[in-house]
Amino acid sequence: MTSKVGIGIVGSRFQADCIAASVKAMPEEMDVVAVASPTKGNAEAFAKRHAIPKFYADYREMLRDPAVELVSVTAPNRLHAQITLDAAKAGKHVVCEKPLCITLEEADAMIDACKAAGVLLLYAEELFFAPKYVKAKQMADEGAFGKVHLVKQGEKHSGPHSDWFWDVDQSGGGALMDLGCHGIAFCWWFLGKQKVKSVYSQLSTQHNSKRTKGDDEAITIIEFADGAIGMVESSWNRPGGMDDSIEVFGDKGQTYADMLMGNALPTYSEVGFGYAVEKAASTKGWTYPVFEEHWNYGFPQEMRHFARCVRGKETAISDGETGRVVQEVLYAAYASAGLGQKITLPFRPMGIVKPIDLWKKPELARAAL
Ligand SMILES: NC(=O)c1ccc[n+]([C@@H]2O[C@H](COP(=O)([O-])OP(=O)(O)OC[C@H]3O[C@@H](n4cnc5c(N)ncnc54)[C@H](O)[C@@H]3O)[C@@H](O)[C@H]2O)c1
């Protein structure tokens, strides 16, 4: 075994590109050694683009490759559980993209399978590594804001780039599932990974009902054990490019961080240019082109941490249990919107096909109270 961790990526599009570039940014710890993607030609083109030595159409074939020690799952949500179970069986460590999976049963099965196989299940929540957010947490932990009683996180853009996100059978839910999972994890992490007491969520489909049965606008309030509150805003209705920001309030101070526009160049161009920020429709007029985009999110730092966890040099700060906490809050949030009431945790309805069903069929949520 070489000292560098060999990574095999499942998927070859948006998040796969991000992971490959992030791994390349931290070359002393790890290498992408293989990619697997079923669409004809995609894995090969991806391998060429990122100078990856091996490519496969079937990820199960990649799992037989001894050079692959850690599998990065960047496939659609509905496939996360099966790919993780197969990877664990093959003795590979797993980094699973958010959300961890679709159902709580899947989350348990993934955690159990990785435990049984003696491999790590790592949950790719990059906000735990975003430099601005890490600095905010360091200051909070130092006591800079006194007792923190309110943490807000918002992730908002104009809607996903791939069709499967809009199809709730493949994604499990809408903006709350896709973007709210970040905010839930963030508030929980920021407030010291405390127990969640209750969840309230207001969901609606404001502008995309022709395209999806999913929520495109979500406000979720999380009450933590010490009384602190997390507020998560998730939207697929914000043109103008990705917006990811936080606010932190305590009795002795506060801080605000705008991850992308706060790290951008206020720019005016009459003719436009190549790229400003994820999901910005135009680069003409006033725009906010970001720099070091992956770094500002924390993706390279996240992958470095995970590679070091594989080598036993660090202990994972985001793992399968983290993803499971998020999954339970997602269930509670959809149930809350269905019933129009606050949901107290633990909330573990069994046999739910996808989280959004708890909103659309409130009787399922009621039966689980
Ligand atoms: N952490 C983040 O900020 C972040 C950002 C974007 C996406 N994601 C997550 O990453 C995952 C992928 O999202 P994306 O935006 O890259 O989607 P995408 O549609 O751009 O890419 C999905 C990829 O999965 C591949 N795929 C489909 N079926 C497959 C199969 N059976 N086996 C192997 N590969 C298969 C597709 O060929 C494609 O390459 C999602 O779970 C998403 O939520 C996370």
Side-chain angles (χ1 to χ4, degrees), residues 17-76:
D17 269 323
C18 167
I19 295 299
S22 298
V23 168
K24 208 174 270 171
M26 291 290 190
E28 68 285 357
E29 299 285 349
M30 55 199 168
D31 265 332
V32 179
V33 295
V35 58
S37 190
T39 313
K40 202 171 158 39
N42 277 12
E44 185 173 3
F46 186 91
K48 227 178 238 159
R49 193 157 71 244
H50 293 285
I52 298 166
K54 291 187 210 156
F55 55 89
Y56 301 90
D58 186 338
Y59 75 84
R60 283 161 296 203
E61 226 180 294
M62 184 180 84
L63 294 179
R64 288 196 283 275
D65 186 336
V68 174
E69 297 174 77
L70 174 63
V71 173
S72 159
V73 182
T74 73

Side-chain angles (χ1 to χ4, degrees), residues 22-346:
S22 298
V23 168
K24 208 174 270 171
M26 291 290 190
E28 68 285 357
E29 299 285 349
M30 55 199 168
D31 265 332
V32 179
V33 295
V35 58
S37 190
T39 313
K40 202 171 158 39
N42 277 12
E44 185 173 3
F46 186 91
K48 227 178 238 159
R49 193 157 71 244
H50 293 285
I52 298 166
K54 291 187 210 156
F55 55 89
Y56 301 90
D58 186 338
Y59 75 84
R60 283 161 296 203
E61 226 180 294
M62 184 180 84
L63 294 179
R64 288 196 283 275
D65 186 336
V68 174
E69 297 174 77
L70 174 63
V71 173
S72 159
V73 182
T74 73
N77 302 349
R78 73 176 195 287
L79 301 169
H80 290 187
Q82 190 58 55
I83 296 171
T84 300
L85 298 185
D86 292 341
K89 210 168 165 195
K92 312 292 186 190
H93 302 285
V94 179
V95 173
C96 187
E97 278 302 327
K98 62 78 196 167
L100 185 65
C101 49
I102 304 279
T103 70
L104 277 173
E105 287 90 338
E106 285 179 345
D108 288 335
M110 292 162 79
I111 292 168
D112 290 348
C114 288
K115 231 178 243 163
V119 296
L120 296 174
L121 174 56
L122 303 156
Y123 180 61
E125 181 43 75
E126 77 278 2
L127 298 188
F128 296 180
F129 303 88
K132 265 195 181 178
Y133 295 177
V134 169
K135 175 69 179 172
K137 178 155 164 58
Q138 277 166 358
M139 291 189 291
D141 291 349
E142 237 178 72
F145 317 121
K147 155 95 174 71
V148 174
H149 62 271
L150 176 61
V151 176
K152 297 186 186 178
Q153 194 275 350
E155 194 163 308
K156 305 158 226 173
H157 59 53
S158 54
H161 47 275
S162 279
D163 286 344
W164 67 263
F165 285 94
W166 301 90
D167 173 3
V168 295
D169 290 328
Q170 299 195 62
S171 59
L176 171 62
M177 184 96 180
D178 177 34
L179 306 177
C181 59
H182 285 301
I184 294 164
F186 177 81
C187 294
W188 176 76
W189 167 73
F190 200 94
L191 290 165
K193 301 188 171 177
Q194 306 175 36
K195 270 201 170 19
V196 174
K197 244 165 97 177
S198 75
V199 178
Y200 177 83
S201 192
Q202 178 73 37
L203 303 179
S204 54
T205 310
Q206 294 284 345
H207 298 294
N208 292 289
S209 50
K210 287 206 178 90
R211 195 161 184 199
T212 184
K213 293 195 175 80
D215 45 293
D216 64 6
E217 201 67 44
I219 294 171
T220 304
I221 297 169
I222 307 167
E223 185 190 6
F224 288 92
D226 76 349
I229 297 157
M231 204 184 123
V232 178
E233 200 186 338
S234 322
S235 176
W236 284 350
N237 297 309
R238 300 289 199 284
M242 173 70 106
D243 177 2
D244 196 308
S245 48
I246 62 165
E247 297 176 23
V248 176
F249 302 94
D251 61 326
K252 295 199 166 42
Q254 64 238 32
T255 192
Y256 305 88
D258 182 333
M259 186 205 283
L260 297 163
M261 273 205 283
N263 283 318
L265 296 75
T267 296
Y268 181 81
S269 168
E270 289 184 353
V271 290
F273 52 96
Y275 177 81
V277 67
E278 182 187 339
K279 296 187 173 62
S282 166
T283 55
K284 284 190 183 161
W286 279 104
T287 56
Y288 295 85
V290 295
F291 55 92
E292 298 190 347
E293 193 172 13
H294 290 150
W295 187 262
N296 289 329
Y297 274 110
F299 289 115
Q301 304 91 317
E302 170 193 82
M303 289 307 290
R304 176 177 188 271
H305 169 65
F306 288 157
R308 290 174 65 80
C309 289
V310 166
R311 286 285 174 270
K313 295 175 185 168
E314 292 181 18
T315 305
I317 65 165
S318 187
D319 59 9
E321 300 289 347
T322 304
R324 197 191 186 290
V325 169
V326 174
Q327 205 70 23
E328 188 174 348
V329 174
L330 285 171
Y331 265 43
Y334 278 110
S336 164
L339 295 171
Q341 69 183 60
K342 202 156 116 170
I343 302 292
T344 309
L345 266 58

